[in-house]
C-alpha cells in the first residue's frame, strides 16, 4: 500500500540566531530527508552556473515589486541593494505535490512566514549557551569584540521570541541536532490530518 | 548545558486494532527510547516472580473501587472477572519527574485516557491493508473464519475513530514503524512548551 503519501507536504522553517549552525544542519537534513529546499526570488544577476528556478528565481526589480504587491512573497528583504524573497506560489506547488519544503531563514523572516502561512512549522535552533555562542562568533575571527557583543545581544533578543515557534533544538552535538530535526520532519508527516476520510477509505 | 530536560515528560498511548502489532512495537520502543511503561493496577493475584509496583499494582477489589470513585483510573476494564486499570497518580508522578510514559492499550481505552488526560499523545497503529490484517489474524491459527470476520469488522470500526488520534503509523515494515514511533517520541520532546521563560532564562 502507498502509505497515504499522496497527502499535502509540510513546510519546515529552520531558523535561529546567527552562529547556531542553521546552514550546516540544513545541508545535512537535505542529505538524509526527503524534502526540497525552497528556491528564493532575487533581483540580483545570476552568477556563473546558476540556473533560474533551481538556484534562484531571477527577476527584474519590477517583477519583484509585482510579487510584493500580489502578496506572493512570504517574506523579503533588501540585502546590499538586491532584493531577496520567498515566493509563496512555488512553495505551495511543492506542498500540493506532497513534497516537504525546507526554508532556512533568520528569526524575523521566520515569523513573517508564519504570519503569511500558518501551516508553516517553525524550528528554532538554540546554541548550547550564550558563552558557546560568543565563542562560535569569535571563532569566525572576522568581527570585533564590539560586533560580537552586539550579535550576542541580538541573539538573546531573538531567543526571547522562542514562544512563537513550534519546536526547538539545541545545537550542542551536530549529529544529535540533525537527528532531532529529522525526527520532527518524520513525526509531522505522521500527524493525523484534519480530513481522515481518505485514509479510512483505504480500509473500507 | 542540561538540554532543558527538567521539563515535564509526555504520556504516549500506543493503540490500534487487534493484529496491528502493538505489543511488538512497544517492546522495541522500550529498548531504544528513554521511557517508562505505565504500570497497571489489578485485582488479580500476583504470579510467581511478579513484583508489586513493577509488574502491576496489586490491590483488593475494594481498593480498586475506591480508585474508580476517586477518579484515579484513566481507564479500566473487567477481564475474565479481574479488574485492570491505569492509575493516573502513578503516571503523573513519572511525568513530573520528567520521564516519558508509554501506555499500550486498545482503541476504546485510549480514547478514555485522552478524555481523562488531554495532554496524552495518541498514536494509532494501522495495518498496511485489511487483507493483510485478515492474514495476520488467520495466521494465529486460533480463530474460526467467523471470528476473523468479526475481528476485521471491529478493526474497521476502530479505524473509523482515527480522527480522535494525534498520530498514525502504518505497521508495514516493523523497523520502519518503530523508527516512526520513536521519531514521534523524540519530536514531541522538542516542542516549544507553553511556558518558555525557564528556557529563555538559561540564556540571560
Amino acid at each position: 500500500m502507498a502509505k497515504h503519501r499522496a497527502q499535502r507536504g509540510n513546510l519546515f522553517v529552520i531558523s535561529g540566531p546567527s552562529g547556531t549552525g542553521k546552514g550546516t544542519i540544513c545541508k545535512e537534513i537535505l542529505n538524509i530527508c526527503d524534502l526540497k529546499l525552497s528556491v528564493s526570488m532575487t533581483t540580483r544577476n545570476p552568477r556563473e552556473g546558476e540556473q533560474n528556478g533551481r538556484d534562484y528565481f531571477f527577476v527584474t526589480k519590477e517583477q519583484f515589486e509585482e510579487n510584493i504587491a500580489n502578496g506572493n512573497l512570504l517574506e523579503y528583504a533588501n540585502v546590499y541593494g538586491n532584493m531577496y524573497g520567498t515566493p509563496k506560489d512555488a512553495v505551495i506547488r511543492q506542498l500540493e505535490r506532497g513534497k516537504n519544503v525546507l526554508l532556512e531563514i533568520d528569526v524575523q523572516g521566520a515569523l513573517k512566514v508564519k504570519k503569511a502561512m500558518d501551516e508553516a512549522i517553525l524550528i528554532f535552533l538554540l546554541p548550547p549557551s550564550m558563552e558557546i555562542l560568543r565563542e562560535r562568533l569569535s571563532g569566525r575571527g572576522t568581527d570585533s569584540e564590539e560586533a560580537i557583543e552586539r550579535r550576542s545581544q541580538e541573539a538573546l533578543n531573538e531567543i526571547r521570541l522562542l514562544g512563537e515557534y513550534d519546536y526547538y533544538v539545541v545545537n550542542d552535538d551536530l549529529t544529535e541536532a540533525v537527528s532531532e530535526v529529522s525526527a520532527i520532519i518524520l513525526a509531522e508527516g505522521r500527524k493525523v490530518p484534519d480530513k481522515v476520510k481518505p485514509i479510512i477509505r483505504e480500509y473500507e
Side-chain angles (χ1 to χ4, degrees), chain A:
Chain A
M1 190 196 60
K3 285 196 180 180
H4 320 299
R5 291 229 191 270
Q7 268 184 53
R8 190 179 168 92
N10 287 317
L11 170 60
F12 296 96
V13 180
I14 296 200
S15 170
S18 171
T20 45
K22 290 190 288 293
T24 313
I25 285 183
C26 284
K27 220 176 280 171
E28 296 280 326
I29 286 295
L30 286 167
N31 277 335
I32 58 173
C33 295
D34 182 29
L35 37 63
K36 301 265 172 198
L37 193 63
S38 158
V39 177
S40 295
M41 185 175 282
T42 183
T43 59
R44 81 153 165 74
N45 291 322
R47 290 180 194 142
E48 184 81 26
E50 283 185 337
Q51 259 180 40
N52 187 41
R54 187 193 66 183
D55 301 292
Y56 285 95
F57 295 107
F58 295 102
V59 296
T60 63
K61 203 163 175 295
E62 290 70 36
Q63 289 171 317
F64 198 95
E65 276 164 5
E66 224 171 274
N67 274 277
I68 297 177
N70 291 344
N72 189 40
L73 294 176
L74 293 176
E75 55 76 39
Y76 58 92
N78 187 321
V79 183
Y80 302 123
N82 290 311
M83 301 300 288
Y84 292 83
T86 304
K88 190 174 179 174
D89 54 3
V91 168
I92 289 181
R93 240 180 351 255
Q94 298 285 1
L95 298 181
E96 285 177 350
R97 278 181 198 151
K99 296 279 178 203
N100 288 324
V101 177
L102 182 66
L103 182 57
E104 180 208 333
I105 199 169
D106 61 49
V107 173
Q108 296 304 329
L111 297 183
K112 283 183 203 158
V113 171
K114 185 78 177 181
K115 213 168 171 185
M117 246 174 108
D118 190 49
E119 70 179 274
I121 296 154
L122 267 50
I123 303 172
F124 201 108
L125 279 187
L126 282 169
S129 69
M130 283 310 277
E131 290 64 41
I132 294 177
L133 182 69
R134 270 189 212 103
E135 276 168 32
R136 286 183 189 169
L137 291 171
S138 321
R140 295 178 175 181
T142 52
D143 294 321
S144 65
E145 265 305 304
E146 198 187 36
I148 289 162
E149 200 38 56
R150 188 174 40 74
R151 276 159 171 274
S152 307
Q153 194 51 51
E154 275 171 17
L156 182 55
N157 286 336
E158 290 174 344
I159 291 170
R160 291 199 174 109
L161 298 169
L162 180 65
E164 309 291 318
Y165 279 66
D166 299 296
Y167 294 95
Y168 68 103
V169 168
V170 179
N171 188 9
D172 188 356
D173 174 73
L174 179 66
T175 309
E176 210 182 309
V178 167
S179 73
E180 290 184 357
V181 172
S182 66
I184 292 166
I185 293 170
L186 187 53
E188 281 286 338
R190 304 320 314 156
K191 274 202 174 162
V192 172
D194 290 338
K195 292 182 182 164
V196 290
K197 274 276 166 62
I199 301 175
I200 295 170
R201 215 172 288 136
E202 295 193 39
Y203 296 91
E204 286 177 333

